[in-house]
Amino acid sequence: MARLVIDPVTRIEGHLRCEAVVSNGKVKDAYSSCTMWRGIEVIMKGRDPREAWVFVQRLCGVCTTVHAIASVRAVEDALKIKVPRNADLIRNLIMGNQCVQDHVIHFYHLHALDWVDVVSALKADPAKTSELAKSISSWPNNSVTYFKAVQDKLKAFVERGQLGIFSNGYWGHPAYKLPPEANLLAVAHYLEALDWQKEVIKMMAILGAKNPHPQTFLVGGMAIPIDPESQNAINAGTIAALNKYADMGIEFVEKVYIPDLLAVASFYKDWTKYGGNSNFLACGEYPEANGKLWLPAGVIKNKNLKEVYPVDHKKIMEYITRSYYTYSKGEKAGLHPWDGETTPNYTGPKPPYEYLNVDGKYSWGKAPRYEELPMEVGPLARVLVAYASGHKEIKEVTDMVMKKLGIGADALFSTLGRTAARGIITLVTAYKIKDFINELATNIKNGDLKIANTEKWDPKTWPAEAKGMGWHDAPRGALSHYIVIKNKKIENYQMVVPSTWNLSPRDHKGVRGPVEEALVGTPVADSKQPLELLRTIHSFDPCMACGMHIVEVREE
Amino acid sequence: MEKETIYEGLVRRGVSRRDFLKFCATTAAVLGLSSSYVPKIAEAMEKKEKPVVVWLHFQDCTGCSESVLRATKPTIGQIVLDVVSLEYHETIMAAAGHQAEKSLHDAIHKYKGKYLVVVEGAIPTKDGGLYCCIGGRSALDILKEVAKDAAAIIAIGTCATYGGIPAAKPNPTGAVGVRDIIKDKPVINLPGCPLNVENFTATVVYFLTFGKLPKTDNLGRPLFAHGILIHDNCERRGHFDTGEFAKSWGDKEHRLGWCLYELGCKGPFAYHNCPTIRWNDGTSWPVMAGHPCVACSEPKFWDDYAPFYFADSGSRDSFFAKATKIGLGAIAVAGLTKRENK
């Protein structure tokens, strides 16, 4: 049996290592390990809870905003602050914009090269690519001349012999199935998406001051003022600009991302057989005016779409049996994040090393479990929970996607299902953003300019002790932050992050984490070129800075 | 085949001569150079080969890479395909695992002594550096190996320059910046959380145009980006000078765009060109959007400038006392004194 190592796993955020045992052309077992730790929770201790979001947002610059949102919500929960509706709307717009932009980047720049052979695009007939493009979308860049120009640029680039970021890819690998024409289409859109992402994100730059790492969040609301009569606040011009970027998002997702996703997926339907999981958790997102969440929260167990369980954060426990930590209550103990501990205990090999000791501790990531079960979080969890809950928009788009691909709901429990779910979420979110803009405009029209609830801004108004938690269903999945405040300062700060769930190592019972489980059974044509493993790993959109730089710390 | 020049690359990608000159002019502006330098920059772009760049990620959040992805002048597509030859970058490269490591090693051998290294993220030094490993090797080892034959190093973001957030107290992993490790190579610091891509592009262009790294302050930061206080270029400076301050989030003064000093703005202590170049293609920057500056381009800002919202009293006196105590920003203090004496 061959032990296959991928380190670094590229086209993700952060530092991930994957070791897999391959036998008879299939993955028999897999281990995911995060290889970096910063100890941010240790750093949070003793600081002002109102600025926690500025710090923890730096967990990740790819999932920028998400930790800021979860953080202000956790503090607001602890101090019992209700934020004004306008603040929720501005946050919804920032979150929605992040979701749309981030998922498109994932599809084209982090995931596409697992399915698209760039070198094969050189052999394409641009006329056929043009025909293909016209048959799937009304996107205007679809002429023969256009695709010929893209191909010429690519040719010149390859002929120069400096492939740069494309060098040493698995080009020509037998698992690539797209015809050259489709590859050329995807390469053209890879480049277009690069240009689009920097524009569409200007919605966040307007509302958040900058991207990455926007800087207008506040405990109690938002710091960006609203005043239709001021040039230094959200005014009618701002609303017009927000609509412009919202439309730009809808157009690209509708006419480029979704058609490409369906076109590519139709060549890879065998990937509905690999990469699945059984248990899913979504925490719900986008507060509506009626106090409910637009996308529902819920837990699905054993792939059973007939029953959706409510989510209760008190059922989350974290284990460190196979992680580089110790617990005062012993190696097998599980701790809720409010009682979390982090005492680093690196027992891995001394660098430089060839293999991890996968029989012992092997990751800086902890193993979070919900009622002792590993949970997949992220777009697929979000879609499955919403679909099973009868959510109108999700159901419509999911049914459309399944119909076009000729697959049933069972096929969603797979690598391809996960990649398709990301597209589904992106489309419904791109549309929903318009509703939030309209509601904000209506509020302004009605004279509601409130952006922050400042009743509890002064720490003198706080109780001696308080604790709270904040959920956010981030692009990569359910995220939760936990804070304990004592004497106006942070006593304990903890985060259970999407990639901590998905990339978790084995737990106290030896049960694999979701990515590890999903990899088992994956075919491997050439163990020196493990393209197939990357497909499944990337379908989770791992974010290691989030998942692994994070540990729950309580210094006794 | 000979390597093409940057200009040839841009032409090949359909960039017009007019747009090319506009790019040169913008770069000159960011660098604080007069328009007479535009032809010199253009000439360099036309004649110089694309520099080979190796990009290392250590204790980072990839926010600086994301910031570079938002580049508009030129766009990221142009930077990656035309302006530089990017041989190694974990976030966007096609190759993974052994193939990725091969790309790195090929580049540093083939372009020995000529390549630029970009470092993103801090380097943990505690316990032999085991807190960040890539391909089974520590960040510390990788940095030393790659830096050895580099022409120069560009440290981007406050983590790679000064340790950043991993180095915030109590610095659990012994995180440091590049200059703390590499002493025998030119290292330029481009701090910011994240770095502003305009300053990255301008530094690369400066290097190509003048054949050296730009002049820096005593913290290794280029003067063209970090030579002036935010406060001195701030569009709200007039309100500060006339004593017009926003007092609360969303109050009338806040809505009108008055000075954010009393809400915690650290602009009087931070040297950065945020107010002039702004972010995301000039869309906005924190003060413009109503939130105080947190001095993200200053070393140890996570400790020296927190609490960001004046937790104690919110008075200028306490801020002034704090500033004097930590001895930062002589000019800023002079400015404040002037203000206090008014």
Side-chain angles (χ1 to χ4, degrees):
Chain A
M1 276 187 285
R3 174 94 74 96
L4 186 157
V5 178
I6 310 179
D7 182 3
V9 175
T10 53
R11 282 183 281 126
I12 62 161
E13 196 300 321
H15 305 288
L16 170 65
R17 176 187 179 96
C18 179
E19 294 194 9
V21 181
V22 178
S23 168
N24 298 324
K26 280 200 165 183
V27 174
K28 200 163 163 267
D29 210 345
Y31 303 85
S32 64
S33 166
C34 80
T35 58
M36 195 262 257
W37 183 66
R38 288 184 296 185
I40 297 217
E41 286 83 346
V42 188
I43 292 164
M44 297 314 296
K45 197 176 153 68
R47 297 186 188 262
D48 184 339
R50 293 173 300 172
E51 65 188 26
W53 72 264
V54 188
F55 284 75
V56 296
Q57 178 165 228
R58 269 68 186 185
L59 283 176
C60 186
V62 175
C63 332
T64 188
T65 78
V66 309
H67 295 288
I69 302 247
S71 178
V72 291
R73 284 177 173 172
V75 181
E76 286 155 4
D77 180 50
L79 300 174
K80 299 186 173 54
I81 298 170
K82 188 174 164 18
V83 307
R85 178 63 188 154
N86 287 339
D88 264 340
L89 284 169
I90 296 168
R91 290 178 187 178
N92 284 354
L93 288 170
I94 290 177
M95 289 187 280
N97 188 227
Q98 171 72 10
C99 166
V100 171
Q101 189 241 19
D102 192 48
H103 284 345
V104 171
I105 290 183
H106 176 263
F107 182 72
Y108 286 101
H109 307 122
L110 305 183
H111 201 18
L113 302 183
D114 301 335
W115 314 98
V116 173
D117 184 335
V118 174
V119 175
S120 148
L122 294 172
K123 289 183 284 198
D125 174 355
K128 283 191 187 159
T129 302
S130 169
E131 268 173 45
L132 171 66
K134 286 173 187 162
S135 73
I136 61 172
S137 170
S138 61
W139 184 246
N141 288 340
N142 60 9
S143 69
V144 183
T145 327
Y146 172 73
F147 289 113
K148 174 86 171 51
V150 171
Q151 194 182 37
D152 286 348
K153 281 175 199 168
L154 189 64
K155 247 180 210 158
F157 188 70
V158 172
E159 280 167 7
R160 290 276 168 188
Q162 277 187 301
L163 276 172
I165 55 167
F166 298 125
S167 56
N168 293 326
Y170 302 136
W171 317 128
H173 192 288
Y176 282 122
K177 302 289 186 204
L178 295 184
E181 285 71 33
N183 282 317
L184 178 58
L185 179 73
V187 169
H189 292 167
Y190 177 105
L191 296 171
E192 282 193 52
L194 267 183
D195 283 341
W196 171 87
Q197 55 84 24
K198 70 180 169 41
E199 293 301 315
V200 77
I201 202 66
K202 286 178 183 168
M203 175 183 289
M204 189 193 295
I206 290 168
L207 297 173
K210 65 189 177 61
N211 165 279
H213 295 331
Q215 198 166 313
T216 53
F217 296 104
L218 278 185
V219 166
M222 293 298 294
I224 181 162
I226 299 173
D227 190 338
E229 315 306 332
S230 169
Q231 65 175 13
N232 288 303
I234 293 174
N235 55 29
T238 317
I239 298 292
L242 296 178
N243 272 313
K244 172 182 150 183
Y245 295 115
D247 292 342
M248 188 185 282
I250 291 171
E251 198 186 17
F252 196 86
V253 173
E254 241 180 16
K255 294 186 178 169
V256 185
Y257 177 22
I258 298 295
D260 284 359
L261 173 67
L262 293 171
V264 171
S266 67
F267 288 92
Y268 289 106
K269 280 198 255 178
D270 51 330
W271 282 84
T272 56
K273 291 183 291 192
Y274 313 118
N277 271 306
S278 304
N279 306 308
F280 299 85
L281 184 150
C283 63
E285 197 45 271
Y286 302 103
E288 297 263 37
N290 61 12
K292 291 187 178 153
L293 296 173
W294 174 56
L295 292 174
V299 168
I300 287 172
K301 294 180 193 169
N302 290 319
K303 304 188 184 181
N304 180 8
L305 294 178
K306 296 203 174 73
E307 189 154 19
V308 179
Y309 299 91
V311 176
D312 176 1
H313 77 82
K314 296 204 177 82
K315 293 179 176 173
I316 298 172
M317 294 286 166
E318 292 196 290
Y319 297 87
I320 48 88
T321 320
R322 310 296 286 277
S323 315
Y324 297 134
Y325 307 99
T326 51
Y327 275 172
S328 56
K329 288 181 182 165
E331 287 294 301
K332 299 250 172 186
L335 296 178
H336 180 271
W338 270 333
D339 306 315
E341 292 175 11
T342 301
T343 314
N345 176 28
Y346 185 79
T347 56
K350 189 171 180 290
Y353 52 79
E354 206 174 337
Y355 295 111
L356 295 170
N357 172 20
V358 293
D359 297 328
K361 293 174 182 286
Y362 62 90
S363 180
W364 284 110
K366 287 185 178 180
R369 296 292 183 259
Y370 188 86
E371 292 178 331
E372 305 247 309
L373 293 170
M375 289 282 152
E376 173 174 341
V377 298
L380 182 56
R382 211 144 50 224
V383 164
L384 290 174
V385 167
Y387 190 83
S389 309
H391 188 271
K392 188 172 163 285
E393 295 103 308
I394 292 283
K395 202 162 177 327
E396 268 175 29
V397 178
T398 308
D399 285 337
M400 176 275 283
V401 166
M402 291 196 298
K403 197 174 158 218
K404 289 216 169 163
L405 291 176
I407 58 172
D410 287 357
L412 293 173
F413 297 91
S414 66
T415 298
L416 196 69
R418 193 173 294 117
T419 297
R422 191 169 287 108
I424 293 166
I425 280 289
T426 310
L427 184 64
V428 297
T429 307
Y431 291 138
K432 186 69 183 173
I433 284 173
K434 295 287 281 187
D435 291 350
F436 295 139
I437 298 173
N438 289 340
E439 194 187 334
L440 181 64
T442 306
N443 287 355
I444 299 174
K445 186 181 161 198
N446 294 336
D448 177 6
L449 309 183
K450 205 163 161 52
I451 48 152
N453 174 350
T454 53
E455 284 165 27
K456 301 267 181 74
W457 181 253
D458 188 341
K460 286 182 200 126
T461 63
W462 302 354
E465 282 189 51
K467 63 181 181 179
M469 72 85 60
W471 284 110
H472 168 36
D473 218 328
R476 284 163 183 79
L479 164 66
S480 51
H481 283 207
Y482 304 79
I483 189 166
V484 179
I485 301 169
K486 205 171 170 183
N487 299 326
K488 332 284 185 212
K489 298 214 151 72
I490 296 172
E491 172 74 5
N492 194 5
Y493 199 99
Q494 304 153 43
M495 302 165 252
V496 184
V497 173
S499 293
T500 321
W501 286 103
N502 288 339
L503 278 297
S504 110
R506 282 152 171 74
D507 60 23
H508 58 305
K509 295 178 181 166
V511 176
R512 296 184 193 101
V515 167
E516 296 179 332
E517 183 62 31
L519 285 171
V520 174
T522 303
V524 182
D526 174 0
S527 60
K528 291 206 164 51
Q529 300 203 326
L531 176 64
E532 300 92 337
L533 271 80
L534 289 178
R535 285 181 178 163
T536 294
I537 297 171
H538 284 150
S539 72
F540 283 89
D541 195 3
C543 187
M544 308 313 287
C546 284
M548 314 305 176
H549 303 188
I550 301 168
V551 271
E552 296 66 37
V553 169
R554 167 172 261 168
E555 289 179 359
E556 298 302 325
Chain B
M1 191 178 280
E2 278 196 17
K3 279 168 65 187
E4 67 185 340
T5 69
I6 293 168
Y7 178 61
E8 285 164 351
L10 291 169
V11 168
R12 184 164 50 73
R13 297 243 316 141
V15 172
S16 69
R17 178 81 194 164
R18 183 186 153 83
D19 283 343
F20 168 67
L21 289 174
K22 256 191 344 204
F23 157 65
C24 296
T26 312
T27 306
V30 174
L31 287 166
L33 300 171
S34 75
S35 57
S36 63
Y37 277 91
V38 174
K40 192 167 163 92
I41 292 173
E43 192 192 338
M45 298 303 104
E46 282 164 336
K47 291 192 179 153
K48 298 274 170 69
E49 285 181 351
K50 294 194 286 186
V52 169
V53 173
V54 167
W55 196 295
L56 301 176
H57 290 258
F58 296 135
Q59 280 179 310
D60 69 324
C61 75
T62 314
C64 292
S65 280
E66 283 281 340
S67 185
V68 172
L69 272 182
R70 309 290 181 266
T72 53
K73 302 183 274 290
T75 67
I76 181 64
Q78 289 162 349
I79 291 177
V80 168
L81 300 180
D82 306 311
V83 176
V84 301
S85 187
L86 187 57
E87 297 295 310
Y88 183 83
H89 188 302
E90 284 180 52
T91 319
I92 52 176
M93 66 193 301
H98 298 305
Q99 280 80 359
E101 296 303 279
K102 184 176 180 310
S103 292
L104 176 62
H105 288 111
D106 286 354
I108 65 177
H109 289 118
K110 196 168 164 192
Y111 304 104
K112 193 173 172 178
K114 290 184 191 162
Y115 58 89
L116 284 174
V117 180
V118 176
V119 180
E120 179 174 358
I123 304 100
T125 57
K126 200 176 144 190
D127 301 328
L130 61 83
Y131 295 99
C132 179
C133 289
I134 299 143
R137 299 174 60 212
S138 71
L140 198 59
D141 276 359
I142 296 169
L143 176 63
K144 284 179 185 164
E145 187 201 358
V146 174
K148 194 169 150 273
D149 292 318
I153 300 172
I154 305 177
I156 62 167
T158 307
C159 297
T161 50
Y162 311 118
I165 192 160
K169 282 173 192 164
N171 193 353
T173 60
V176 298
V178 175
R179 280 190 171 202
D180 296 309
I181 312 242
I182 304 298
K183 311 279 187 190
D184 57 351
K185 289 282 169 189
V187 180
I188 190 153
N189 285 335
L190 300 180
C193 194
L195 136 117
N196 191 323
V197 63
E198 309 268 2
N199 293 333
F200 175 73
T201 319
T203 301
V204 174
V205 171
Y206 190 110
F207 180 77
L208 288 169
T209 308
F210 304 119
K212 58 179 183 182
L213 290 170
K215 269 194 191 154
T216 60
D217 64 6
N218 61 354
L219 295 167
R221 306 177 293 190
L223 294 173
F224 75 76
H226 300 275
I228 299 175
L229 280 173
I230 283 189
H231 191 55
D232 288 346
N233 271 334
C234 181
E235 65 241 28
R236 301 192 180 191
R237 177 59 182 268
H239 293 294
F240 178 91
D241 289 344
T242 47
E244 294 176 340
F245 298 99
K247 306 275 186 193
S248 180
W249 312 106
D251 68 9
K252 187 161 179 286
E253 293 73 22
H254 186 231
R255 297 203 306 271
L256 285 173
W258 285 14
C259 180
L260 300 171
Y261 181 58
E262 297 196 351
L263 289 172
C265 189
K266 305 296 182 277
F269 301 92
Y271 291 84
H272 207 175
N273 54 354
C274 272
T276 47
I277 62 168
R278 298 180 184 166
W279 291 80
N280 302 88
D281 199 16
T283 300
S284 190
W285 70 289
V287 170
M288 181 174 166
H291 191 282
C293 162
V294 297
C296 73
S297 62
E298 297 302 313
K300 312 292 173 211
F301 77 98
W302 295 109
D303 293 312
D304 291 349
Y305 292 99
F308 299 130
Y309 299 113
F310 287 26
D312 303 336
S313 64
S315 76
R316 271 178 288 152
D317 290 345
S318 71
F319 191 25
F320 179 63
K322 180 179 162 67
T324 311
K325 197 175 85 198
I326 55 182
L328 284 164
I331 299 171
V333 173
L336 282 170
T337 312
K338 197 171 134 200
R339 167 82 203 128
E340 296 296 315
N341 292 342
K342 202 169 145 183

